[in-house]
Amino acid sequence: GQQLNQSPQSMFIQEGEDVSMNCTSSSIFNTWLWYKQDPGEGPVLLIALYKAGELTSNGRLTAQFGITRKDSFLNISASIPSDVGIYFCAGLPGAGSYQLTFGKGTKLSVIP
Amino acid sequence: DGGITQSPKYLFRKEGQNVTLSCEQNLNHDAMYWYRQDPGQGLRLIYYSQIVNDFQKGDIAEGYSVSREKKESFPLTVTSAQKNPTAFYLCASSTGPYQPQHFGDGTRLSIL
């Protein structure tokens, strides 16, 4: 099946620093989604991207849909302690497939 | 408030028992999904349903069963045939098959 490579697997950053993580695929996706999961909770949708080249912001978060439709990145600016958690990318191939494919997540730790 | 409710939060199963995990949504979403999450892994699709009285197998359906008798409800049964059931189970819903999915807070299943 399709696979998403998400990197880095984990990162430790100082409070106030900017963060960047990305997902790549060998297949084309028509929709890219970014979720955040806190321990013991379900993932929460952060940003949805529907068009190649699209750049979307949600507060301090910015995500882009790669022009080749095979990649996406998420940036977090001026990190704060509550940014701690696991960030997942997910892709929807589009017509003909209903299945979201998830990356394995990036675990973010913020040092106060 | 609209949302997805999963119950119970924690569930323990004895060897050889079937257990049923509840998922209810009041978002008026047509599509519902069940995922399994293991430590350090992305989410893997067990079953999904696009409409009442219809459901499809996902990537790891063996040892699981579902029903969709009402739009609001999509219970998952973990049968005794599932040999490694210990995991975090997440239910999700979406307005349609190609729309972002929204998640409940999960049920953690453990074996006694």
Side-chain angles (χ1 to χ4, degrees):
Chain A
Q2 293 171 319
Q3 291 190 338
L4 288 183
N5 297 310
Q6 188 171 350
S7 65
Q9 281 188 327
S10 63
M11 51 196 318
F12 290 82
I13 60 165
Q14 206 74 34
E15 183 177 356
E17 286 183 348
D18 297 344
V19 173
S20 186
M21 58 192 79
N22 69 81
C23 269
T24 60
S25 169
S26 56
S27 307
I28 287 173
F29 287 101
N30 283 342
T31 301
W32 283 93
L33 306 171
W34 284 93
Y35 290 89
K36 181 187 179 222
Q37 186 177 29
D38 291 327
E41 305 291 328
V44 174
L45 181 67
L46 300 173
I47 292 180
L49 301 159
Y50 298 102
K51 209 165 134 181
E54 181 181 355
L55 184 74
T56 296
S57 292
N58 177 8
R60 293 178 297 106
L61 278 59
T62 302
Q64 183 154 29
F65 193 143
I67 203 75
T68 64
R69 294 198 282 155
K70 292 183 179 181
D71 63 327
S72 177
F73 72 75
L74 175 71
N75 286 345
I76 305 172
S77 62
S79 58
I80 59 178
S82 62
D83 289 335
V84 164
I86 302 178
Y87 292 79
F88 289 99
C89 62
L92 259 175
S97 175
Y98 303 147
Q99 292 195 206
L100 265 182
T101 299
F102 281 85
K104 292 189 177 179
T106 294
K107 186 174 180 180
L108 178 64
S109 301
V110 178
I111 304 162
Chain B
D1 278 359
I4 302 169
T5 302
Q6 289 188 242
S7 61
K9 183 74 175 169
Y10 300 94
L11 188 57
F12 298 90
R13 192 191 92 168
K14 291 182 182 176
E15 297 278 355
Q17 266 187 345
N18 293 353
V19 289
T20 297
L21 284 59
S22 170
C23 178
E24 305 275 332
Q25 54 98 0
N26 60 6
L27 299 167
N28 200 33
H29 285 175
D30 286 319
M32 296 187 75
Y33 312 81
W34 274 105
Y35 291 89
R36 171 181 171 136
Q37 186 177 31
D38 294 287
Q41 300 293 318
L43 280 64
R44 293 183 291 167
L45 183 65
I46 304 172
Y47 269 97
Y48 64 98
S49 167
Q50 298 303 319
I51 198 167
V52 174
N53 291 324
D54 185 59
F55 48 83
Q56 307 294 329
K57 292 182 180 180
D59 297 323
I60 55 166
E62 187 173 345
Y64 300 97
S65 66
V66 293
S67 63
R68 185 88 187 274
E69 296 175 5
K70 297 187 298 182
K71 187 176 185 177
E72 305 78 27
S73 179
F74 191 39
L76 173 74
T77 297
V78 184
T79 74
S80 56
Q82 173 48 243
K83 296 307 176 192
N84 184 22
T86 297
F88 191 48
Y89 290 88
L90 287 158
C91 178
S93 70
S94 64
T95 54
Y98 306 118
Q99 299 305 310
Q101 294 172 24
H102 299 270
F103 288 82
D105 279 340
T107 292
R108 187 166 299 281
L109 175 62
S110 302
I111 300 304
L112 292 176

